[in-house]
Amino acid sequence: MEPFVFTPGNVPVLLSMPHSGVFIPPKLQTRMTPAALEVPDTDWHLPQLYDFLDDLGIAAIRATHSRYVIDLNRDPSGQPLYPGANNTELCPTTSFSEAPLYRPGEQPDEAEIDARRAAVWQPYHDRIATELAAIRERHGVAVLWDAHSIRSEVPRFFEGRLTDLNLGSGGGVTAAPELLRRLGDIAQVTADYSFVIDGRFKGGYITRHYGDPANNVHAIQLEQSWATYMNEDPPFGFREDLATGVRPVLRRFLESVAAWARDA
């Protein structure tokens, strides 16, 4: 299976979904635990949630492989995303609930990690880099929106219940302040959803690596609580009744991003 699916657009925005894939190669499946094969830490249903991208002319790149194969939002060197915190690896060995993903003795060695990096991680990032360069050449500016979602309560990573909508900009360094202000203004008038910028989630490797406002490339991550659009327990079903409420907020976010980019 190809490592990603790409859909072209015609506005200065690229949307990335690095954790929406569920594919695990059959040979790898035989080495993994039954719990791992349920891929519970997937960013579930994001293509369905963001079903308006074609209407807005926004290009999208979507991963096909599970983050359990390799995490596309981690540094390829294996450096931790949040130093000093509890992190999952480039090729995770435990789930968010800290359950083992591999049967005893079946964890990947460095050679296998290198192979996965070359086969899955690198093509995804090569396409992001190529597309951002093309967008900037065409429009003078490019914005990367990195779309994520997560269970509303994950004690491994944060205490209590997560804010509904969590925008990350590396602490304000990966996107223009005016762009972040516009997004904050939209969120503040949306009383149904809690919101924060650069709270627990400040943006992963993708946001921090590609965001370069000085060179007219801006990057923002949205980490969204599952509770806003789906059932949080297996089989993790999509809830259109919930999505109907939050999808217009996502659309307003991206309409504002596209408008800001055109103005810029």
Side-chain angles (χ1 to χ4, degrees):
M1 180 176 287
E2 295 297 320
F4 62 83
V5 174
F6 177 76
T7 305
N10 55 26
V11 301
V13 182
L14 171 64
L15 189 139
S16 163
M17 301 180 188
H19 293 155
S20 63
V22 296
F23 177 70
I24 298 175
K27 288 184 179 179
L28 180 55
Q29 291 183 29
T30 64
R31 297 162 49 199
M32 302 187 85
T33 62
L37 298 180
E38 295 178 357
V39 290
D41 301 324
T42 302
D43 291 8
W44 293 103
H45 311 298
L46 289 188
Q48 188 173 355
L49 184 62
Y50 284 86
D51 66 0
F52 52 84
L53 297 179
D54 286 348
D55 294 344
L56 301 185
I58 292 175
I61 180 169
R62 172 175 60 83
T64 56
H65 288 60
S66 170
R67 71 190 303 161
Y68 290 168
V69 177
I70 191 165
D71 193 330
L72 300 175
N73 200 30
R74 294 295 182 271
D75 191 310
S77 71
Q79 291 296 312
L81 183 59
Y82 293 100
N86 193 330
N87 291 271
T88 53
E89 309 99 320
L90 178 65
C91 291
T93 57
T94 58
S95 69
F96 289 178
S97 62
E98 302 192 84
L101 299 181
Y102 290 89
R103 299 177 186 277
E106 295 289 356
Q107 294 184 357
D109 59 18
E110 287 302 316
E112 183 176 356
I113 293 171
D114 287 345
R116 295 187 198 181
R117 186 187 296 114
V120 181
W121 191 98
Q122 196 64 55
Y124 191 88
H125 284 267
D126 286 347
R127 189 55 189 262
I128 287 180
T130 298
E131 189 61 23
L132 288 175
I135 289 173
R136 185 177 60 177
E137 177 68 21
R138 197 159 57 240
H139 299 281
V141 65
V143 181
L144 174 64
W145 183 275
D146 205 38
H148 295 262
S149 67
I150 191 170
R151 185 186 296 274
S152 62
E153 296 187 27
V154 185
R156 178 175 183 174
F157 301 135
F158 50 86
E159 296 181 1
R161 187 179 178 90
L162 183 67
T163 304
D164 294 328
L165 303 172
N166 304 263
L167 285 178
S169 64
V173 302
T174 68
E178 171 61 20
L179 177 55
L180 295 171
R181 185 193 64 77
R182 290 191 185 193
L183 295 171
D185 288 346
I186 292 170
Q188 287 173 5
V189 300
T190 307
D192 293 336
Y193 303 102
S194 56
F195 170 80
V196 67
I197 296 178
D198 290 315
R200 170 60 182 84
F201 294 94
K202 295 177 173 61
Y205 175 82
I206 289 173
T207 304
R208 301 178 198 183
H209 180 71
Y210 294 103
D212 186 7
N215 287 301
N216 295 323
V217 179
H218 305 260
I220 296 169
Q221 175 179 301
L222 175 63
E223 188 76 65
Q224 180 173 350
S225 168
W226 284 356
T228 62
Y229 74 96
M230 60 174 277
N231 291 326
E232 297 196 90
D233 296 316
F236 306 115
F238 187 78
R239 291 274 304 275
E240 184 61 41
D241 59 319
L242 297 178
T244 297
V246 75
R247 188 184 283 123
V249 180
L250 303 180
R251 181 167 184 143
R252 287 196 293 274
F253 279 160
L254 286 165
E255 287 173 338
S256 181
V257 167
W260 177 88
R262 285 192 296 266
D263 292 344

